[in-house]
Structure formats: C-alpha cells, structure tokens
Amino acid sequence: MDGFLMTRDPGSLLALNGETAAYGLSLTPAQAAELALCQQRALTDTGRVEFGEGAAAQLILALRASPYVDRATWADTLAEMTVLFYALKSETHDALSDGELIDAMVRVFDGRAHGAVQVLADMTESDWLHEVYGHGDDGENADDKDDD
Amino acid sequence: MTKTTIDALTTMPAGQDEAPELSRAQENLLALLRAQALRYTQGESTSLPRETMEELLTSLCYTLSIDPTKGPCALFPLAEGDPHERYAEALAQLRRKADCARALAGQLCLSAPPLDCIALRDTLRSIVEGLNGYDPRFFAHRVPGSIDYQLLRPVPERLQGVDYILAYLTRLCAELRFLSRLPLHRVLALLDGFSPEWRELVANLYAPVAANALGLALLGGDPRRLHIGDAQRAVLLNLLGNCSVAIIEERLFAAARTVCRALDLREEDDTTLLLSLALDLAPRVHAACAAGDLSCVFVSFGLPKKRG
C-alpha cells in the first residue's frame, strides 16, 4: 500500500518553487526528486500511508519564512524535517494534527533550536504534546480562562 | 486483511495492464479510500498508520460487498457509476441491517427463557451494547459485540460486521425458541444432569436438551417430558443397538420431524437445526450403543448445584 495513494510526483514539489521564490528559496529537479523519495522512505520506515499532498509540501510552505533556512540548506532541512514529521506523527500516536505538529515544529525550529533539527529530534513525545497544548494554555487559552 | 490481499486489490493482474474498466474501478476504490481516510481524520491529517488504512480498506470492501480475496477482478462493479453514490447506498443498507439486528437482539432479551446462563447473558448484553455503538462508517467489518455463548451451528467465519451478528442472532433465536417451547423446570433439571456447572460453562445448551427430546420421540413418548432414565436408555439401546449409523440417522431424522410437530416449530430454521443435531448425534449414538452405555448422549435429570 506504500505509495498506493500518495502522489509521488516531484513535479508537485517543484511547482512550489513559485511560492518560495520571494524568500530566495528553490529546489532543483534533482532535489525535488530526492525529497519525494525521502518522504516515501520516511513513510515506509514509520509504517504510515500518505493519502494527501504529503508533509514535504506542507513543510515547504511552513518553513519558507524561517530565518534559519537559506538556498544552501533548504533541501537538506526539508528532508530532515520531513523524516522527523512522520516519526513524530507515529510517536505521538496521531494525537497531533498535521497543522498542529508543523506549527510546533516550525516554532521550535525558529525558537530555541535556532535552526538545529537535532534539537527537535531530541524532544520526547511529552515535550511535543506540551509544546502544542501547553503553549496554547500559556497563550490564547489562558485568556479564555481569565474570561471564565 | 493481509498485505498480500491489499496488494492484490491494487495491482493489475498480468495481461490486464490495458484493461480500462479495471483501472477505472481501482481509481474509484482509491478515491473512496482517500475520502474515508479524510473523514476519519476529520481533515486534520493526510497520513495514517498502515494498519488503520488497512482497516479502513477492509471496512470499505465489506460495505461494498467486495471480496478482496478474489483479487482486482472483484472491483469490477466499481467501474461503473458514481462510487460515492454506490458507497452511500451500501452504507444505508448496512444501517438498515444494524436496525434489524437491534430489533432482533431486543426481542431475544425479552423473550429468552430465564436460564441464568452467564455466557448467554453476557453475549446478549455485549451484542446490544455493540450494536448501540456500531459505526459502519469506518469499521463496518468489526463484529459488534463479543460472543461467549456457543451455538450448535457456529456462524461461518467468513461473515463480518453486522452480517455476522445477524446470522448469530437468527441462529440463537431458533435455539431459544426451541427451549422456550419446553417446561422451564424440566429444561433446568436436564441441564443440571448435563453438568452441575452448566450456568458457568461456555457450552451450547440446545444440544443436550434437544437430544433428549429426540430420544423420547424415538421411544414414542412426549418430547416435552425431557427425562430419560435408565429404563428408557435400555429401551433405546435395544432399539438402536444393532443399527448402522445410516439407519440411526434415518430414525433420528424422523424423530426430529416428530419433535417439530409436537412443539409446533414450523419455521424452516427450527427443522434445519434439529436435523443437523440428528446428523451429529447418529455416529455418537452408534458408538455409545457399541459401548453399551447411552448415558453420555441421553442424560438424566440432575439436581441443582448448591449455591453460596
């Protein structure tokens, strides 16, 4: 079933160059193909099946404004974050939605990790759950509580 | 569903690479599976663990009456028409079946003889709860409820989901209908003779009771009496001792029809069930006659187990 539903066409990743050009970022056809392959391997390794556009495409859009990426590191960062994304989806037992996880990953990457993917990789399941839900409590939800 | 089966459904068989109908059917299945996965994640995730996807596919196949063991050719019905419409119709049909099963389970809970059998009670409770929580959208193939009480004729393992439960309840209905036509105190006494622990046993209750009814019919007696003592067993031994299995079978079949008439059991299920018991009993009776002891087939009444 691996790759049975997912679009593995690197062309869809290349098409996103139009969305990242303003940030000085782009993937070459070879990098896009490698990223698609990397995503496929990550899915196989984590025992997951993709039925949408995939994490790589979502990460391209989420990371393009990061101060810690540039043309030289763009492809490698995307590959590492894609692998990490699927690993975290499984480790957190799908408790986090794609949007929640990607927002949290970008927040940590741009924040205390200062662009080091290894910092994200070293975080535990409970760290991530706290990052997503705990962060909300400290911020927006805390306001809600005050309202109550 | 095994990996092989999934792959079998989604891989073109050799020589059919150009079969447009099959290709369309597979595309339609994928479209349905994507839609199901999106519904399941409520649009919040675009990937799922492989096991979950396999279950969603199994559920989809069951709902659409697609037998995945038949390979991609089983998908041909999906080649025509709107697959989403087809799925909606199939889902509605499953919901109707679940309603029927709920009604049948409710009727059984009200009409079952008060036997106080733990396995039977737990099974009915579990089925009622299972049907109340049955969600045919994602896991239609899962059997709603757990089965402890063993039927004389088990439901075929190939049945899934609510079809399994409907078949189980229909068969259970026939067994309990038979038991409810007999005096309760006699049924209880016979079951006490069968085993003092029968209330706690995971055993079929129809078989020992119906066997004695057949034995009494063979003797020309009233099957409602149920009691078979040493004297009756001696007569049965004399009657059947020199018979072949085929002759015993023939006599038990005739006795089964007599019992159905005597108990006013008119439904085909009732007769079929009793005839199938007769078929099972014939070789056992033959072996017991050879050993000169029928007490393991036709049991005597016993005393209730002291509680506390």
Side-chain angles (χ1 to χ4, degrees), chain B residues 103-226:
Chain B
L104 195 50
Q107 181 193 324
L108 272 177
C109 287
L110 291 174
S111 64
L115 294 172
D116 198 22
C117 165
I118 293 170
L120 181 57
R121 189 188 60 207
D122 288 353
T123 299
L124 277 174
R125 184 184 295 156
S126 174
I127 289 176
V128 169
E129 286 172 5
L131 284 168
N132 285 338
Y134 183 61
D135 185 355
R137 286 176 310 161
F138 302 120
F139 303 112
H141 61 294
R142 287 187 187 168
V143 174
S146 61
I147 308 293
D148 287 340
Y149 179 73
Q150 303 301 303
L151 294 171
L152 175 71
R153 285 276 160 267
V155 174
E157 288 296 322
R158 64 182 164 75
L159 290 182
Q160 295 176 286
V162 73
D163 284 310
Y164 184 97
I165 286 296
L166 260 180
Y168 181 90
L169 288 171
T170 304
R171 288 169 189 223
L172 180 62
C173 208
E175 290 194 5
L176 295 182
R177 191 163 47 236
F178 177 87
L179 295 176
S180 66
R181 300 286 165 96
L182 298 162
L184 180 63
H185 67 286
R186 288 181 178 273
V187 171
L188 295 176
L190 191 144
L191 290 172
D192 286 329
F194 167 64
S195 166
E197 314 287 338
W198 67 269
R199 287 177 177 81
E200 291 86 34
L201 286 181
V202 181
N204 178 259
L205 303 182
Y206 172 90
V209 178
N212 271 28
L214 289 177
L216 284 164
L218 282 171
L219 293 169
D222 181 356
R224 288 182 198 83
R225 286 179 50 80
L226 289 182

Side-chain angles (χ1 to χ4, degrees), chain A residues 2 4 47-51 98, chain B residues 10 30 44 46-48 50:
Chain A
D2 305 326
F4 159 54
R48 298 184 69 81
V49 179
E50 180 63 64
F51 52 90
D98 288 359
Chain B
T10 55
L30 296 193
E44 295 200 332
T46 65
S47 67
L48 278 171
R50 186 188 174 94

Side-chain angles (χ1 to χ4, degrees), chain A residues 15-96:
Chain A
L16 291 171
N17 280 343
E19 304 289 329
T20 58
Y23 301 89
L25 303 169
S26 65
L27 291 172
T28 64
Q31 286 172 328
E34 181 58 35
L35 184 56
L37 198 61
C38 173
Q39 176 167 272
Q40 185 55 45
R41 274 198 298 262
L43 285 163
T44 306
D45 290 348
T46 53
R48 298 184 69 81
V49 179
E50 180 63 64
F51 52 90
E53 60 179 352
Q58 295 179 69
L59 283 164
I60 286 173
L61 297 177
L63 279 170
R64 61 185 167 171
S66 169
Y68 294 102
V69 291
D70 57 30
R71 186 180 288 272
T73 58
W74 183 227
D76 286 344
T77 303
L78 285 173
E80 288 171 23
M81 293 287 264
T82 299
V83 169
L84 189 58
F85 172 85
Y86 288 115
L88 289 173
K89 284 292 281 188
S90 291
E91 281 170 25
T92 55
H93 307 285
D94 290 79
L96 305 177

Side-chain angles (χ1 to χ4, degrees), chain A residues 114-132:
Chain A
H114 302 290
V117 180
Q118 190 56 45
V119 172
L120 281 71
D122 290 340
M123 288 171 64
T124 64
E125 177 190 345
S126 61
D127 289 338
W128 284 106
L129 293 174
H130 185 259
E131 179 60 35
V132 172

